[in-house]
Amino acid sequence: SRKAVPLATRRNRLKRLLRESFRTHNLPAVDVIFLARGGVDRLENPVIIARLNTIWDKLTDFCAD
């Protein structure tokens, strides 16, 4: 949201990273909602991608059970 990430260019960068990460992973058929926390827009791309990979792994493990 605009409150967590005030600049549109930074929000769009986060959306692009999230979409690309989602597209490249083989995930179960679930709906996912992400809410950005303040400060996430100041992280470097590799850090964000690594955190997303961790989230995808946890989601895959959760849905496998």
Side-chain angles (χ1 to χ4, degrees), residues 27-61:
L27 299 171
V30 294
D31 292 331
V32 181
I33 297 174
F34 277 88
L35 300 175
R37 292 187 178 172
V40 71
D41 59 324
R42 291 187 291 272
L43 295 176
E44 298 292 326
N45 288 356
V47 174
I48 295 171
I49 292 169
R51 290 186 182 180
L52 285 172
N53 290 338
T54 303
I55 292 169
W56 300 138
D57 292 340
K58 287 181 182 180
L59 179 65
T60 303
D61 291 344

